Amino acid sequence: MNNLEVMTAILQKIKEYDRIMLFRHVRNDGDCVGSTKGLKEIIRCTWPEKEVYLIDEDTAKYLEFLGPEDVPVPDEYYTTALGIVLDTASEARISNRKYTLCKELIKIDHHIPLENYGDLIWVEEHRSSLCEMIVKFYDTFREELVLSTQAATYLYTGMVTDSGRFKYSDVTGDTLRYAAILLDAGVDTDTLYARLYLEAFEYLKFKAYIYEKMQVTENGVAYIVVDREMQQQFGLSLEQASAVIGNLDSIRGCICWIAFIESGDEEGTIRVRLRSRFVHINSIAEQYRGGGHACASGATVYSMEEVHSLLADADAHVKEYKSTHEGWL
Ligand code: AMP
């Protein structure tokens, strides 16, 4: 099936079912929250008689302004429902594990596919966000579907957060054309950007500390280890500690940057967030229990030895890239 045929089949399935359950990935972010809420709102406005549920772990703090999720429902609700999983490459990362109970399952994703699951699969890995795919879906069937300002706001939030405010290299003409559809639907960007950008005074102090502590490997991998002590010193949640990755992204010559966040659990889990420009780093993440996109991946390590080993691999990878390519900055 080509993409249009899969989208048509997905629309058909949505029409067929009276009850739809939406799913997304663990450690939710703007894109998986925005796309699930956006699709839910489109379905709700188009077919008010249908039941649509989004039952999940708590939304990340910085996205709480998008509103709460639905309260849990009995298992029987799932067994007659259509399940749609958004923005999640592998089954292991689906946050609400009850997805297996659904009568049929659809996967919609924009990550590099690590595995296939679901009865229908629509993956466009070149898309800058899953929200972009949902707007494409809306645009393709716009005669039949309803896009409210609320749905547009959810989807725009996902688009801007997953594309680094339309900055990353996977942003295309399509991305902006789809964003334009959302702006036309009345998104209040002033309020949205204020909600996304404003930071507490204490957090800026933490940022200053990060700039002081960050390091660079021989060939230009910038990195920071946010250990438990640092998190306690600044009173940071894991989510706030994880956000440090965004502070390492503008160092000339550092085309790869990595944050290691100690979780403090019994297994000694260290969350790894990898980002890059020009060079692709998903292969490094895949060597350390992870995956993701070419220039934005995640992984997990369990010791400082593994931190150093991952850094050595990333450094060698960047060295090889720099020696065989020109034009990187
Ligand atoms: P993060 O740094 O957690 O925001 O992850 C960056 C991207 O990689 C996101 O699109 C994640 O969905 C994806 N990702 C993170 N961790 C993993 C993993 N363990 N396996 C596969 N993909 C991942």
Side-chain angles (χ1 to χ4, degrees):
M1 276 203 263
N2 64 31
N3 285 336
L4 181 60
E5 287 165 345
V6 186
M7 281 193 292
T8 308
I10 292 173
L11 180 67
Q12 214 40 54
K13 283 291 168 203
I14 294 174
K15 285 180 179 170
E16 217 173 272
Y17 278 81
D18 296 328
R19 186 180 296 137
I20 296 150
M21 319 293 295
L22 299 175
F23 303 90
R24 62 194 187 198
H25 61 75
V26 290
R27 286 182 187 151
N28 54 65
D29 58 17
D31 194 27
C32 79
V33 173
S35 58
T36 42
K37 284 180 178 290
L39 180 59
K40 181 181 170 190
E41 178 71 3
I42 290 174
I43 297 173
R44 202 184 63 78
C45 292
T46 308
W47 299 281
E49 69 285 1
K50 286 189 195 293
E51 291 173 34
V52 203
Y53 294 98
L54 173 54
I55 295 155
D56 197 50
E57 59 191 14
D58 288 344
T59 300
K61 264 233 154 341
Y62 73 101
L63 297 165
E64 272 176 356
F65 68 90
L66 294 175
E69 314 316 342
D70 296 316
V71 294
V73 293
D75 286 0
E76 302 84 81
Y77 278 48
Y78 289 83
T79 52
T80 53
L82 170 68
I84 308 181
V85 187
L86 283 78
D87 198 32
T88 312
S90 54
E91 285 190 77
R93 303 196 78 234
I94 303 175
S95 50
N96 177 353
R97 304 307 293 167
K98 296 199 171 167
Y99 74 95
T100 50
L101 300 176
C102 289
K103 194 160 172 216
E104 283 187 280
L105 200 66
I106 294 175
K107 173 191 186 186
I108 305 181
D109 193 27
H110 73 130
H111 293 95
I112 297 163
L114 297 175
E115 66 183 34
N116 282 331
Y117 63 86
D119 304 289
L120 263 176
I121 300 171
W122 174 31
V123 177
E124 293 194 22
E125 58 183 275
H126 66 287
R127 296 284 171 199
S128 68
S129 64
L130 204 277
C131 285
E132 185 177 321
M133 292 176 68
I134 299 302
V135 187
K136 176 182 176 178
F137 184 76
Y138 161 74
D139 190 41
T140 306
F141 305 112
R142 63 189 309 157
E143 300 298 316
E144 295 183 65
L145 300 176
V146 178
L147 180 76
S148 64
T149 303
Q150 184 63 66
T153 303
Y154 292 141
L155 294 168
Y156 199 77
T157 304
M159 286 186 89
V160 299
T161 51
D162 235 38
S163 67
R165 319 297 190 252
F166 301 117
K167 194 176 77 175
Y168 299 154
S169 57
D170 49 12
V171 169
T172 63
D174 266 0
T175 313
L176 298 187
R177 276 183 286 276
Y178 291 133
I181 291 173
L182 302 178
L183 291 179
D184 287 345
V187 178
D188 171 1
T189 49
D190 257 3
T191 305
L192 176 60
Y193 282 123
R195 282 179 163 145
L196 291 174
Y197 275 116
L198 295 183
E199 284 172 341
F201 182 80
E202 297 72 26
Y203 191 71
L204 287 175
K205 289 285 185 198
F206 171 63
K207 264 187 168 174
Y209 185 78
I210 290 300
Y211 286 130
E212 194 61 34
K213 290 279 170 191
M214 67 187 181
Q215 297 192 60
V216 179
T217 65
E218 191 182 339
N219 294 290
V221 176
Y223 68 95
I224 181 91
V225 179
V226 187
D227 57 22
R228 291 300 291 163
E229 201 185 321
M230 218 188 276
Q231 293 171 39
Q232 277 151 11
Q233 183 185 342
F234 288 93
L236 300 174
S237 64
L238 268 181
E239 192 187 320
Q240 287 169 322
S242 303
V244 298
I245 188 66
N247 301 318
L248 306 179
D249 68 351
S250 311
I251 308 168
R252 188 170 295 126
C254 292
I255 58 176
C256 171
W257 54 102
I258 306 176
F260 299 91
I261 301 103
E262 206 177 35
S263 75
D265 65 9
E266 280 178 8
E267 292 80 43
T269 307
I270 301 173
R271 178 182 183 187
V272 188
R273 308 190 78 192
L274 302 96
R275 301 291 186 268
S276 62
R277 56 180 175 273
F278 303 106
V279 62
H280 293 177
I281 39 75
N282 57 296
S283 60
I284 306 286
E286 284 162 21
Q287 288 171 49
Y288 293 87
R289 309 170 195 90
H293 302 286
C295 295
S297 285
T300 306
V301 296
Y302 292 98
S303 64
M304 281 313 286
E305 283 74 43
E306 274 200 301
V307 167
H308 293 304
S309 158
L310 190 153
L311 279 172
D313 287 345
D315 188 65
H317 189 64
V318 166
K319 181 180 183 187
E320 140 78 14
Y321 181 89
K322 285 184 170 177
S323 63
T324 49
H325 294 77
E326 288 181 350
W328 48 265
L329 293 161

